[in-house]
Amino acid sequence: MTKVAVTGGIGSGKSYLCKLLADRGIIVYDCDKAAKRLMMESCKIREQLTAVVGNNAYIGGKLNKAVISSFLLKSADNAKKINQIVHPVVAEDFVASNMTWMECALLFSSGFNKLVDKSICVTAPLDVRISRIINRDHISEAKAREWINNQMPQQEMRALSDYEIVNDGTADVNAQLDRILKTIY
């Protein structure tokens, strides 16, 4: 069975595409949700995060998201340290799940592209992405731009992917998806 990843920058519409896949009976492994779950469940992650971030990484047995986020955003080196702890466990969990589809914003920077055969990049114009992020997360435009700038550029993700789905609010995403599914299966 062909393994496929859905990727794209924040606000591009990855989750929307995954909903369309679910409507077609294709269940997608969500790497972000898995990472959040595993950061709570995995003793290995808990021990390593505590060693790197400090004893306040977990409070009362629960992940201290504010402390983790603050540590992560302080530097690229800090983000790399957290990713080196979390990504291998998420990769193992994906493989163990026996699922054939994954949603992964950090597909190429995490190396998760090595776990799949094909990749679909969801793209949207910058202004559309910013508007979606602001409306979804109730943050400022400056914060939305900061989040976007912390990710691999959309054009680079697109160049590394096998397929593109344009989700600009006017293009027919369903028709694009159906064409890609015909080539994959």
Side-chain angles (χ1 to χ4, degrees):
M1 195 55 129
T2 304
K3 293 194 178 211
V4 184
V6 174
T7 194
I10 185 169
S12 63
K14 295 178 302 296
S15 296
Y16 173 67
L17 184 69
C18 290
K19 182 194 171 304
L20 296 179
L21 287 164
D23 292 345
R24 289 164 170 78
I26 298 170
I27 307 304
V28 181
Y29 180 93
D30 185 326
C31 288
D32 285 344
K33 284 183 182 171
K36 289 173 184 158
R37 174 180 52 82
L38 291 166
M39 287 172 85
M40 286 300 303
E41 293 176 0
S42 168
C43 293
K44 181 179 180 180
I45 290 177
R46 183 181 299 251
E47 289 169 7
Q48 291 180 1
L49 279 180
T50 301
V52 169
V53 177
N55 289 331
N56 58 351
Y58 291 85
I59 298 207
K62 293 191 177 195
L63 185 68
N64 189 340
K65 293 177 187 173
V67 167
I68 297 295
S69 293
S70 175
F71 179 84
L72 188 116
L73 294 173
K74 275 186 186 167
S75 72
D77 189 51
N78 283 2
K80 185 177 177 182
K81 287 176 184 174
I82 289 180
N83 290 340
Q84 287 174 335
I85 293 168
V86 177
H87 288 170
V89 179
V90 174
E92 290 169 15
D93 191 63
F94 171 70
V95 171
S97 77
N98 288 317
M99 295 178 80
T100 56
W101 284 76
M102 79 161 64
E103 175 184 352
C104 186
L106 305 175
L107 183 67
F108 300 104
S109 58
S110 67
F112 283 26
N113 58 306
K114 295 175 183 133
L115 302 174
V116 297
D117 305 301
K118 298 288 181 187
S119 56
I120 301 169
C121 183
V122 183
T123 63
L126 181 61
D127 61 326
V128 171
R129 293 172 63 200
I130 290 169
S131 176
R132 288 175 182 163
I133 298 164
I134 290 169
N135 291 329
R136 182 190 68 201
D137 298 318
H138 310 290
I139 60 169
S140 69
E141 180 179 336
K143 185 55 112 175
R145 286 182 183 277
E146 180 184 343
W147 288 358
I148 288 169
N149 291 334
N150 280 331
Q151 292 186 329
M152 177 184 283
Q154 178 173 265
Q155 60 273 23
E156 194 175 327
M157 262 189 255
R158 169 57 193 108
L160 293 168
S161 297
D162 297 294
Y163 305 100
E164 176 182 20
I165 289 190
V166 177
N167 183 22
D168 60 5
T170 59
D172 188 340
V173 175
N174 275 298
Q176 293 175 77
L177 178 57
D178 287 339
R179 279 192 298 275
I180 291 169
L181 290 174
K182 284 179 185 169
T183 66
I184 292 173
Y185 297 116

